[in-house]
Amino acid sequence: MAATPRPAGASGRTGRRVRGAPYAFLLPAVTLFALFFALPIGYALYLSLRKVEVKGLGLGRGARQEVWAGLSNYADALTDSQLLSSALRVLGYGAMVVPAMLGLALVLALMLDAERTRLSGFSRLAIFLPYAVPGVIAAMMWGFLYLPDVSPFYYLLDKAGLPGPNLLDGGPLYLALANIALWGGTGFNMIVIYTSLRSIPVEIYEAARLDGCSQLQTALRIKIPIVAPALVLTFFFSIIATLQVFSEPTTLKPLTNSLSTTWSPLMKVYQDAFVNGDIHAAAATSVVIAVVTLVLSFGFLKAANSRSNQGETP
């Protein structure tokens, strides 16, 4: 029986629908990206180029008017001593947090990947679980543990006749903040590294065992070099999270006078926008922070990629 011929225009319409299908699938993601990412960034850039001009006492209709400011807000942000001080504090904080977090995550991942490890599933869950706790709740919990009047640790130290350190004042404050970041972020980094370890072929371990390599030698000479890309990725994420630290110092601020309202750059943005009411200066500072984060991140990735390419060159 002869097949019924299809109309000439039907194949053309079907081809157009097939070619347009990928764009239809991408449309929801592009729409969400435009509404919740690109549009806010564009609006922040617009606000950063404006300022409020006050006439007279600032009273009455038309006394406060938004005018074009050009790059004056950026000049003020780059010469702001409070922003520079907050950036230096965050750099010191990151110098403590990032190496300790990645080192601990790597050690835990190697321990869980060892052959004789028991209850590895429960251990992974227990280590990762703090990451699921919101940063504000984690900071509140640790903040109360740092207070001598309510902390059980200070009670035990007092009963033992030992002095309790003041973790919310001076230099120990950095350790207190770093501890919260370590407690919450180590699990995530450990899961990333552990997943990379589990993807290593078993044949490599068997060859190392036949060559007489111990567990330590296998970890140092095989596992760590292979999971180097995962370490680069976790370092990248940790740098971004460090530069954007906000919840921990903001939550601990009511518990100590050692934390200023501009302790971190994002706290400075919050202070300008919602306390001082200068949304335009806050927008300019946000753009500066975003650009610095972008430059540092891409600079590090470029350096890591070039180092990796040099290592692969025979």
Side-chain angles (χ1 to χ4, degrees), residues 72-267:
S72 62
N73 289 327
Y74 290 99
D76 294 338
L78 293 174
T79 56
D80 192 339
S81 60
Q82 289 184 337
L83 181 61
L84 179 60
S85 299
S86 64
L88 293 176
R89 282 191 290 266
V90 167
L91 288 177
Y93 165 80
M96 297 172 56
V97 171
V98 175
M101 181 185 297
L102 296 185
L104 185 58
L106 177 61
V107 170
L108 291 174
L110 291 173
M111 291 175 62
L112 292 175
D113 191 59
E115 295 180 356
R116 298 182 180 180
T117 301
R118 299 180 180 179
L119 301 175
S120 60
F122 173 78
S123 301
R124 289 197 304 270
L125 178 61
I127 298 171
F128 179 77
L129 191 59
Y131 179 75
V133 179
V136 175
I137 296 177
M140 289 182 62
M141 180 189 70
W142 281 104
F144 284 111
L145 292 176
Y146 294 152
L147 288 176
D149 294 336
V150 296
S151 174
F153 300 118
Y154 283 90
Y155 175 78
L156 295 176
L157 289 174
D158 182 64
K159 290 297 182 182
L162 299 175
N166 187 0
L167 296 176
L168 295 177
D169 187 23
L173 179 61
Y174 285 84
L175 296 176
L177 292 170
N179 175 65
I180 299 175
L182 286 175
W183 182 80
T186 300
F188 172 80
N189 294 318
M190 182 273 297
I191 289 295
V192 174
I193 299 172
Y194 178 78
T195 304
S196 181
L197 285 172
R198 299 302 294 176
S199 65
I200 299 176
V202 181
E203 292 79 7
I204 296 180
Y205 295 147
E206 293 177 352
R209 193 180 301 110
L210 291 175
D211 289 339
C213 292
S214 63
Q215 290 287 336
L216 180 60
Q217 291 174 330
T218 303
L220 295 177
R221 299 180 181 180
I222 297 177
K223 292 184 178 182
I224 293 179
I226 291 179
V227 301
L231 291 174
V232 171
L233 180 65
T234 53
F235 185 85
F236 176 73
F237 288 154
S238 300
I239 287 292
I240 294 177
T242 300
L243 294 175
Q244 296 178 352
V245 61
F246 177 79
S247 299
E248 293 84 354
T250 302
T251 306
L252 294 181
K253 174 67 181 67
L255 304 180
T256 175
N257 293 326
S258 297
L259 278 168
S260 64
T261 54
T262 58
W263 191 86
S264 72
L266 288 188
M267 292 176 69

